[in-house]
mmCIF file of all heavy atoms in Angstrom:
data_model
loop_
_atom_site.group_PDB
_atom_site.id
_atom_site.type_symbol
_atom_site.label_atom_id
_atom_site.label_comp_id
_atom_site.label_asym_id
_atom_site.label_seq_id
_atom_site.Cartn_x
_atom_site.Cartn_y
_atom_site.Cartn_z
ATOM 1 N N PRO A 184 -12.713 15.694 0.489
ATOM 2 C CA PRO A 184 -13.300 17.015 0.725
ATOM 3 C C PRO A 184 -14.744 16.952 1.225
ATOM 4 O O PRO A 184 -15.170 17.767 2.047
ATOM 5 C CB PRO A 184 -13.207 17.717 -0.631
ATOM 6 C CG PRO A 184 -12.965 16.643 -1.631
ATOM 7 C CD PRO A 184 -12.285 15.522 -0.903
ATOM 8 N N LEU A 185 -15.489 15.942 0.759
ATOM 9 C CA LEU A 185 -16.869 15.777 1.213
ATOM 10 C C LEU A 185 -16.905 15.419 2.694
ATOM 11 O O LEU A 185 -17.703 15.974 3.459
ATOM 12 C CB LEU A 185 -17.570 14.705 0.382
ATOM 13 C CG LEU A 185 -19.024 14.427 0.753
ATOM 14 C CD1 LEU A 185 -19.891 15.662 0.561
ATOM 15 C CD2 LEU A 185 -19.557 13.262 -0.078
ATOM 16 N N ALA A 186 -16.055 14.493 3.110
ATOM 17 C CA ALA A 186 -15.995 14.107 4.528
ATOM 18 C C ALA A 186 -15.592 15.293 5.398
ATOM 19 O O ALA A 186 -16.114 15.475 6.503
ATOM 20 C CB ALA A 186 -15.024 12.947 4.714
ATOM 21 N N GLN A 187 -14.666 16.107 4.908
ATOM 22 C CA GLN A 187 -14.225 17.295 5.643
ATOM 23 C C GLN A 187 -15.398 18.244 5.896
ATOM 24 O O GLN A 187 -15.657 18.663 7.024
ATOM 25 C CB GLN A 187 -13.139 18.016 4.821
ATOM 26 C CG GLN A 187 -12.730 19.359 5.351
ATOM 27 C CD GLN A 187 -11.592 19.292 6.344
ATOM 28 O OE1 GLN A 187 -10.849 18.322 6.375
ATOM 29 N NE2 GLN A 187 -11.465 20.302 7.149
ATOM 30 N N GLU A 188 -16.122 18.576 4.833
ATOM 31 C CA GLU A 188 -17.270 19.490 4.961
ATOM 32 C C GLU A 188 -18.366 18.894 5.835
ATOM 33 O O GLU A 188 -18.934 19.566 6.686
ATOM 34 C CB GLU A 188 -17.838 19.823 3.575
ATOM 35 C CG GLU A 188 -16.998 20.757 2.751
ATOM 36 C CD GLU A 188 -17.034 22.195 3.245
ATOM 37 O OE1 GLU A 188 -17.942 22.570 4.015
ATOM 38 O OE2 GLU A 188 -16.133 22.958 2.852
ATOM 39 N N LEU A 189 -18.658 17.627 5.607
ATOM 40 C CA LEU A 189 -19.730 16.959 6.352
ATOM 41 C C LEU A 189 -19.392 16.857 7.832
ATOM 42 O O LEU A 189 -20.260 17.003 8.696
ATOM 43 C CB LEU A 189 -19.987 15.580 5.741
ATOM 44 C CG LEU A 189 -21.304 14.882 6.022
ATOM 45 C CD1 LEU A 189 -22.504 15.786 5.785
ATOM 46 C CD2 LEU A 189 -21.419 13.624 5.168
ATOM 47 N N SER A 190 -18.126 16.651 8.138
ATOM 48 C CA SER A 190 -17.693 16.602 9.537
ATOM 49 C C SER A 190 -17.942 17.941 10.230
ATOM 50 O O SER A 190 -18.439 17.984 11.358
ATOM 51 C CB SER A 190 -16.206 16.265 9.625
ATOM 52 O OG SER A 190 -15.982 14.918 9.321
ATOM 53 N N MET A 191 -17.598 19.006 9.553
ATOM 54 C CA MET A 191 -17.786 20.337 10.136
ATOM 55 C C MET A 191 -19.274 20.655 10.323
ATOM 56 O O MET A 191 -19.687 21.144 11.371
ATOM 57 C CB MET A 191 -17.119 21.400 9.257
ATOM 58 C CG MET A 191 -15.608 21.235 9.136
ATOM 59 S SD MET A 191 -14.760 21.239 10.731
ATOM 60 C CE MET A 191 -14.963 22.943 11.199
ATOM 61 N N ILE A 192 -20.069 20.358 9.312
ATOM 62 C CA ILE A 192 -21.504 20.671 9.370
ATOM 63 C C ILE A 192 -22.210 19.882 10.467
ATOM 64 O O ILE A 192 -23.109 20.394 11.135
ATOM 65 C CB ILE A 192 -22.155 20.410 7.989
ATOM 66 C CG1 ILE A 192 -21.661 21.448 6.971
ATOM 67 C CG2 ILE A 192 -23.677 20.440 8.072
ATOM 68 C CD1 ILE A 192 -21.973 21.106 5.539
ATOM 69 N N THR A 193 -21.792 18.618 10.659
ATOM 70 C CA THR A 193 -22.446 17.757 11.657
ATOM 71 C C THR A 193 -21.774 17.825 13.030
ATOM 72 O O THR A 193 -22.118 17.063 13.921
ATOM 73 C CB THR A 193 -22.477 16.293 11.174
ATOM 74 O OG1 THR A 193 -21.128 15.835 10.984
ATOM 75 C CG2 THR A 193 -23.266 16.150 9.885
ATOM 76 N N HIS A 194 -20.811 18.735 13.166
ATOM 77 C CA HIS A 194 -20.113 18.951 14.448
ATOM 78 C C HIS A 194 -19.367 17.708 14.927
ATOM 79 O O HIS A 194 -19.401 17.355 16.098
ATOM 80 C CB HIS A 194 -21.093 19.448 15.520
ATOM 81 C CG HIS A 194 -21.885 20.635 15.075
ATOM 82 N ND1 HIS A 194 -21.330 21.886 14.910
ATOM 83 C CD2 HIS A 194 -23.188 20.757 14.724
ATOM 84 C CE1 HIS A 194 -22.262 22.730 14.490
ATOM 85 N NE2 HIS A 194 -23.390 22.075 14.363
ATOM 86 N N HIS A 195 -18.681 17.063 13.970
ATOM 87 C CA HIS A 195 -17.809 15.934 14.271
ATOM 88 C C HIS A 195 -16.401 16.338 13.835
ATOM 89 O O HIS A 195 -16.071 16.236 12.651
ATOM 90 C CB HIS A 195 -18.266 14.669 13.535
ATOM 91 C CG HIS A 195 -19.524 14.096 14.083
ATOM 92 N ND1 HIS A 195 -20.770 14.626 13.824
ATOM 93 C CD2 HIS A 195 -19.732 13.035 14.905
ATOM 94 C CE1 HIS A 195 -21.688 13.911 14.452
ATOM 95 N NE2 HIS A 195 -21.087 12.943 15.117
ATOM 96 N N PRO A 196 -15.585 16.834 14.765
ATOM 97 C CA PRO A 196 -14.292 17.417 14.383
ATOM 98 C C PRO A 196 -13.251 16.432 13.850
ATOM 99 O O PRO A 196 -12.237 16.835 13.306
ATOM 100 C CB PRO A 196 -13.800 18.071 15.675
ATOM 101 C CG PRO A 196 -14.516 17.356 16.761
ATOM 102 C CD PRO A 196 -15.841 16.938 16.196
ATOM 103 N N ARG A 197 -13.504 15.136 13.955
ATOM 104 C CA ARG A 197 -12.526 14.137 13.497
ATOM 105 C C ARG A 197 -13.202 13.187 12.525
ATOM 106 O O ARG A 197 -14.326 12.727 12.762
ATOM 107 C CB ARG A 197 -12.008 13.352 14.718
ATOM 108 C CG ARG A 197 -11.028 12.237 14.395
ATOM 109 C CD ARG A 197 -9.622 12.773 14.269
ATOM 110 N NE ARG A 197 -8.628 11.714 14.298
ATOM 111 C CZ ARG A 197 -8.094 11.145 13.206
ATOM 112 N NH1 ARG A 197 -8.493 11.498 12.015
ATOM 113 N NH2 ARG A 197 -7.173 10.219 13.329
ATOM 114 N N TYR A 198 -12.525 12.923 11.400
ATOM 115 C CA TYR A 198 -12.982 11.881 10.478
ATOM 116 C C TYR A 198 -11.766 11.054 10.062
ATOM 117 O O TYR A 198 -10.618 11.439 10.310
ATOM 118 C CB TYR A 198 -13.699 12.471 9.256
ATOM 119 C CG TYR A 198 -12.822 13.277 8.323
ATOM 120 C CD1 TYR A 198 -12.242 12.706 7.197
ATOM 121 C CD2 TYR A 198 -12.592 14.631 8.560
ATOM 122 C CE1 TYR A 198 -11.444 13.447 6.335
ATOM 123 C CE2 TYR A 198 -11.805 15.379 7.713
ATOM 124 C CZ TYR A 198 -11.233 14.788 6.597
ATOM 125 O OH TYR A 198 -10.443 15.531 5.753
ATOM 126 N N PHE A 199 -12.009 9.900 9.453
ATOM 127 C CA PHE A 199 -10.928 8.981 9.123
ATOM 128 C C PHE A 199 -10.914 8.692 7.621
ATOM 129 O O PHE A 199 -11.966 8.645 6.983
ATOM 130 C CB PHE A 199 -11.072 7.673 9.901
ATOM 131 C CG PHE A 199 -10.908 7.861 11.382
ATOM 132 C CD1 PHE A 199 -12.000 8.187 12.183
ATOM 133 C CD2 PHE A 199 -9.659 7.756 11.982
ATOM 134 C CE1 PHE A 199 -11.856 8.384 13.550
ATOM 135 C CE2 PHE A 199 -9.503 7.957 13.346
ATOM 136 C CZ PHE A 199 -10.603 8.273 14.129
ATOM 137 N N VAL A 200 -9.696 8.479 7.100
ATOM 138 C CA VAL A 200 -9.517 8.200 5.675
ATOM 139 C C VAL A 200 -8.883 6.823 5.501
ATOM 140 O O VAL A 200 -7.825 6.546 6.078
ATOM 141 C CB VAL A 200 -8.616 9.263 5.008
ATOM 142 C CG1 VAL A 200 -8.417 8.944 3.521
ATOM 143 C CG2 VAL A 200 -9.204 10.660 5.184
ATOM 144 N N LEU A 201 -9.542 5.974 4.728
ATOM 145 C CA LEU A 201 -8.964 4.691 4.348
ATOM 146 C C LEU A 201 -8.050 4.966 3.161
ATOM 147 O O LEU A 201 -8.511 5.423 2.110
ATOM 148 C CB LEU A 201 -10.058 3.690 3.970
ATOM 149 C CG LEU A 201 -11.131 3.441 5.044
ATOM 150 C CD1 LEU A 201 -12.169 2.450 4.534
ATOM 151 C CD2 LEU A 201 -10.512 2.963 6.340
ATOM 152 N N ARG A 202 -6.750 4.724 3.339
ATOM 153 C CA ARG A 202 -5.769 5.036 2.310
ATOM 154 C C ARG A 202 -5.662 3.896 1.300
ATOM 155 O O ARG A 202 -6.122 2.783 1.555
ATOM 156 C CB ARG A 202 -4.398 5.306 2.947
ATOM 157 C CG ARG A 202 -4.385 6.372 4.028
ATOM 158 C CD ARG A 202 -4.746 7.758 3.528
ATOM 159 N NE ARG A 202 -3.887 8.215 2.452
ATOM 160 C CZ ARG A 202 -2.793 8.946 2.629
ATOM 161 N NH1 ARG A 202 -2.417 9.313 3.846
ATOM 162 N NH2 ARG A 202 -2.072 9.339 1.590
ATOM 163 N N LYS A 203 -5.016 4.158 0.162
ATOM 164 C CA LYS A 203 -4.880 3.147 -0.889
ATOM 165 C C LYS A 203 -3.501 2.507 -0.924
ATOM 166 O O LYS A 203 -3.214 1.698 -1.799
ATOM 167 C CB LYS A 203 -5.240 3.752 -2.241
ATOM 168 C CG LYS A 203 -6.725 4.072 -2.328
ATOM 169 C CD LYS A 203 -7.133 4.572 -3.678
ATOM 170 C CE LYS A 203 -8.629 4.843 -3.698
ATOM 171 N NZ LYS A 203 -9.044 5.522 -4.924
ATOM 172 N N SER A 204 -2.665 2.878 0.034
ATOM 173 C CA SER A 204 -1.363 2.229 0.167
ATOM 174 C C SER A 204 -0.862 2.438 1.593
ATOM 175 O O SER A 204 -1.316 3.349 2.291
ATOM 176 C CB SER A 204 -0.351 2.778 -0.842
ATOM 177 O OG SER A 204 -0.134 4.160 -0.623
ATOM 178 N N VAL A 205 0.056 1.603 1.994
ATOM 179 C CA VAL A 205 0.651 1.728 3.327
ATOM 180 C C VAL A 205 1.595 2.930 3.320
ATOM 181 O O VAL A 205 2.389 3.103 2.392
ATOM 182 C CB VAL A 205 1.416 0.445 3.714
ATOM 183 C CG1 VAL A 205 2.150 0.627 5.033
ATOM 184 C CG2 VAL A 205 0.465 -0.746 3.777
ATOM 185 N N LYS A 206 1.486 3.769 4.338
ATOM 186 C CA LYS A 206 2.335 4.962 4.457
ATOM 187 C C LYS A 206 3.358 4.750 5.567
ATOM 188 O O LYS A 206 3.107 4.027 6.539
ATOM 189 C CB LYS A 206 1.480 6.197 4.774
ATOM 190 C CG LYS A 206 0.352 6.444 3.775
ATOM 191 C CD LYS A 206 0.875 6.664 2.382
ATOM 192 C CE LYS A 206 -0.249 6.857 1.379
ATOM 193 N NZ LYS A 206 0.214 6.930 0.000
ATOM 194 N N ALA A 207 4.493 5.434 5.451
ATOM 195 C CA ALA A 207 5.595 5.258 6.403
ATOM 196 C C ALA A 207 5.207 5.626 7.832
ATOM 197 O O ALA A 207 5.730 5.060 8.790
ATOM 198 C CB ALA A 207 6.799 6.087 5.956
ATOM 199 N N TYR A 208 4.281 6.560 7.988
ATOM 200 C CA TYR A 208 3.897 7.006 9.334
ATOM 201 C C TYR A 208 2.991 6.017 10.061
ATOM 202 O O TYR A 208 2.759 6.139 11.263
ATOM 203 C CB TYR A 208 3.193 8.371 9.256
ATOM 204 C CG TYR A 208 1.850 8.343 8.574
ATOM 205 C CD1 TYR A 208 0.694 7.949 9.269
ATOM 206 C CD2 TYR A 208 1.713 8.702 7.239
ATOM 207 C CE1 TYR A 208 -0.544 7.913 8.650
ATOM 208 C CE2 TYR A 208 0.477 8.684 6.614
ATOM 209 C CZ TYR A 208 -0.642 8.286 7.321
ATOM 210 O OH TYR A 208 -1.871 8.254 6.705
ATOM 211 N N MET A 209 2.441 5.041 9.351
ATOM 212 C CA MET A 209 1.442 4.145 9.936
ATOM 213 C C MET A 209 2.065 3.168 10.917
ATOM 214 O O MET A 209 3.158 2.655 10.699
ATOM 215 C CB MET A 209 0.706 3.380 8.838
ATOM 216 C CG MET A 209 -0.170 4.243 7.970
ATOM 217 S SD MET A 209 -1.014 3.228 6.717
ATOM 218 C CE MET A 209 -2.151 4.423 6.036
ATOM 219 N N ARG A 210 1.320 2.900 11.988
ATOM 220 C CA ARG A 210 1.706 1.867 12.954
ATOM 221 C C ARG A 210 0.746 0.693 12.816
ATOM 222 O O ARG A 210 -0.462 0.869 12.898
ATOM 223 C CB ARG A 210 1.614 2.404 14.378
ATOM 224 C CG ARG A 210 2.628 3.439 14.727
ATOM 225 C CD ARG A 210 2.527 3.750 16.194
ATOM 226 N NE ARG A 210 3.341 4.873 16.569
ATOM 227 C CZ ARG A 210 3.183 5.543 17.686
ATOM 228 N NH1 ARG A 210 2.239 5.202 18.539
ATOM 229 N NH2 ARG A 210 3.980 6.546 17.982
ATOM 230 N N ASN A 211 1.292 -0.481 12.618
ATOM 231 C CA ASN A 211 0.488 -1.702 12.488
ATOM 232 C C ASN A 211 -0.683 -1.534 11.511
ATOM 233 O O ASN A 211 -1.848 -1.742 11.883
ATOM 234 C CB ASN A 211 -0.040 -2.145 13.858
ATOM 235 C CG ASN A 211 1.073 -2.321 14.858
ATOM 236 O OD1 ASN A 211 2.100 -2.915 14.547
ATOM 237 N ND2 ASN A 211 0.898 -1.791 16.052
ATOM 238 N N PRO A 212 -0.407 -1.131 10.267
ATOM 239 C CA PRO A 212 -1.504 -0.923 9.315
ATOM 240 C C PRO A 212 -2.262 -2.212 9.012
ATOM 241 O O PRO A 212 -1.681 -3.295 9.007
ATOM 242 C CB PRO A 212 -0.790 -0.394 8.066
ATOM 243 C CG PRO A 212 0.621 -0.866 8.203
ATOM 244 C CD PRO A 212 0.904 -0.924 9.669
ATOM 245 N N ILE A 213 -3.562 -2.056 8.758
ATOM 246 C CA ILE A 213 -4.424 -3.185 8.413
ATOM 247 C C ILE A 213 -4.890 -2.945 6.980
ATOM 248 O O ILE A 213 -5.423 -1.879 6.682
ATOM 249 C CB ILE A 213 -5.623 -3.269 9.365
ATOM 250 C CG1 ILE A 213 -5.108 -3.434 10.809
ATOM 251 C CG2 ILE A 213 -6.552 -4.408 9.007
ATOM 252 C CD1 ILE A 213 -5.885 -2.676 11.814
ATOM 253 N N ALA A 214 -4.684 -3.923 6.099
ATOM 254 C CA ALA A 214 -4.992 -3.737 4.682
ATOM 255 C C ALA A 214 -5.853 -4.873 4.147
ATOM 256 O O ALA A 214 -5.754 -6.014 4.600
ATOM 257 C CB ALA A 214 -3.701 -3.644 3.875
ATOM 258 N N ILE A 215 -6.709 -4.529 3.163
ATOM 259 C CA ILE A 215 -7.477 -5.538 2.426
ATOM 260 C C ILE A 215 -7.487 -5.138 0.956
ATOM 261 O O ILE A 215 -7.271 -3.978 0.609
ATOM 262 C CB ILE A 215 -8.930 -5.683 2.949
ATOM 263 C CG1 ILE A 215 -9.703 -4.376 2.795
ATOM 264 C CG2 ILE A 215 -8.977 -6.159 4.375
ATOM 265 C CD1 ILE A 215 -11.191 -4.553 2.959
ATOM 266 N N GLY A 216 -7.757 -6.102 0.073
ATOM 267 C CA GLY A 216 -7.817 -5.838 -1.360
ATOM 268 C C GLY A 216 -9.104 -5.146 -1.752
ATOM 269 O O GLY A 216 -10.120 -5.246 -1.066
ATOM 270 N N MET A 217 -9.044 -4.423 -2.893
ATOM 271 C CA MET A 217 -10.215 -3.685 -3.373
ATOM 272 C C MET A 217 -10.149 -3.545 -4.891
ATOM 273 O O MET A 217 -9.073 -3.449 -5.453
ATOM 274 C CB MET A 217 -10.232 -2.290 -2.738
ATOM 275 C CG MET A 217 -11.373 -1.421 -3.211
ATOM 276 S SD MET A 217 -11.274 0.262 -2.572
ATOM 277 C CE MET A 217 -10.076 0.980 -3.683
#
């Protein structure tokens, strides 16, 4: 939610989310441990 608001305020209509698991829709996902 913070990235969403900050994107709008700074006039950056696109932001990206690093997910915590591989999703079925992903193409060639890149993963690292955390």
Side-chain angles (χ1 to χ4, degrees):
L185 180 62
Q187 172 89 21
E188 287 287 342
L189 199 49
S190 287
M191 297 303 290
I192 291 167
T193 61
H194 308 289
H195 289 77
R197 178 84 165 96
Y198 67 95
F199 294 88
V200 179
L201 304 179
R202 306 296 303 267
K203 291 184 179 171
S204 62
V205 174
K206 305 300 178 186
Y208 67 82
M209 292 181 171
R210 291 187 188 162
N211 305 315
I213 301 141
I215 61 166
M217 178 186 80

